[in-house]
Amino acid sequence: MLSVLLVEDEISVGNLINKGLSERGYKISIAPDGDIGYEMATKNEFDIMILDIMLPGMNGLELCKRLRNNKIDTPILMLTALSSTENIVTGLDSGADDYITKPFKFAELEARIRSLARRKHPLQTEETNVLRVADLEMNPDSKMVTRNGKRISLTSTEFRLLEFLMKNKGKVLSRMTILENVWGIDFNISTNVVDVYINYVRKKIETSFEQKLLHTVVGMGYVIKDS
């Protein structure tokens, strides 16, 4: 049974999510504001956290940042009424793993929860080998990324993106393929979230290095390769 912390101040939304997930076998705990949510998140262990962004007191973005700063790596799904790329990226940059916009379909919410649960409990056979592209190395177990021995710091979303690219070294990956595999479910393809995060990763793995590894294939997508 997966345990879920829901931090949501809208009673109707909280009741809807609580009823739907409870009927499907999830164990739900609800906090009505960010401060109570923080206390519950730090004193109890959850499999998934769902945070509304607009909360009384500490908002969802602040709550997410504080949890990540305290080394709490529980997968976090953000709820937001704002669907612009800027707002989405802001939410992900705060340390969230995924987002869903209001109003949402319950089936989509559950699909995103299942996707986040798979990330927290991956098959061991998928995470055993160090990934390499030229002098870039990633250890999925220790979550360490280095290039020519230099440590590279990545956010959780950047790490998943780079991991997917490296597992598919030499393959041209479309934006839709990246969205489905890195974010776990189809995003609105009109957004440029993939392009934004590709640029983030590119800067971190290529700045100060002569050899470029991450390439744009115009009209098709992106590829990471040795040369």
Side-chain angles (χ1 to χ4, degrees):
M1 177 186 294
L2 288 178
S3 59
V4 178
L5 172 63
L6 172 63
V7 186
E8 171 62 70
D9 65 315
E10 292 187 48
I11 296 176
S12 59
V13 175
N15 288 341
L16 172 67
I17 295 175
N18 183 29
K19 181 176 184 295
L21 292 181
S22 295
E23 289 176 350
R24 287 160 176 79
Y26 295 86
K27 179 182 178 182
I28 312 300
S29 300
I30 302 178
D33 60 50
D35 296 314
I36 294 176
Y38 179 76
E39 182 177 359
M40 293 175 66
T42 52
K43 292 183 178 180
N44 304 277
E45 185 172 344
F46 297 96
D47 294 302
I48 304 289
M49 298 184 192
I50 304 174
L51 312 181
D52 187 17
I53 288 182
M54 302 301 292
L55 292 168
M58 188 191 315
N59 66 40
L61 297 177
E62 295 170 347
L63 173 56
C64 186
K65 288 179 181 178
R66 286 190 63 182
L67 293 174
R68 295 306 189 223
N69 288 338
N70 281 354
K71 308 302 181 184
I72 295 175
D73 61 358
T74 303
I76 291 176
L77 173 65
M78 303 295 289
L79 292 177
T80 176
L82 306 173
S83 59
S84 71
T85 297
E86 181 180 353
N87 288 305
I88 293 167
V89 171
T90 299
L92 295 173
D93 279 350
S94 71
D97 297 280
D98 199 354
Y99 82 99
I100 189 170
T101 57
K102 297 179 180 179
F104 54 84
K105 294 182 179 179
F106 188 82
E108 181 183 3
L109 174 67
E110 189 180 11
R112 291 179 184 273
I113 291 173
R114 288 198 303 267
S115 175
L116 291 175
R118 288 195 297 269
R119 294 177 195 173
K120 184 174 183 180
H121 304 289
L123 296 175
Q124 293 300 313
T125 55
E126 296 178 353
E127 300 289 309
T128 55
N129 297 320
V130 173
L131 303 173
R132 294 182 178 85
V133 178
D135 56 352
L136 177 68
E137 293 190 358
M138 169 184 283
N139 187 318
D141 294 322
S142 65
K143 307 301 181 186
M144 181 177 292
V145 178
T146 62
R147 183 161 186 194
N148 195 26
K150 179 181 178 182
R151 180 75 178 268
I152 296 173
S153 178
L154 300 173
T155 66
S156 60
T157 304
E158 291 166 351
F159 185 93
R160 292 198 309 274
L161 173 57
L162 182 58
E163 181 180 23
F164 182 63
L165 291 167
M166 293 181 72
K167 283 183 174 180
N168 292 278
K169 180 174 71 172
K171 297 180 182 178
V172 178
L173 303 171
S174 69
R175 289 173 178 81
M176 179 60 78
T177 297
I178 293 172
L179 285 169
E180 291 174 346
N181 286 274
V182 176
W183 279 269
I185 194 169
D186 293 358
F187 271 35
N188 183 345
I189 197 61
S190 66
T191 70
N192 64 344
V193 169
V194 170
D195 306 280
V196 169
Y197 271 85
I198 285 286
N199 287 333
Y200 287 168
V201 170
R202 179 178 278 142
K203 288 178 181 179
K204 290 188 176 183
I205 68 172
E206 293 186 351
T207 299
S208 303
F209 296 96
E210 183 176 350
Q211 183 182 3
K212 305 305 177 185
L213 303 177
L214 184 49
H215 305 272
T216 302
V217 182
V218 179
M220 299 182 69
Y222 299 98
V223 61
I224 194 167
K225 55 185 180 179
D226 294 326
S227 60

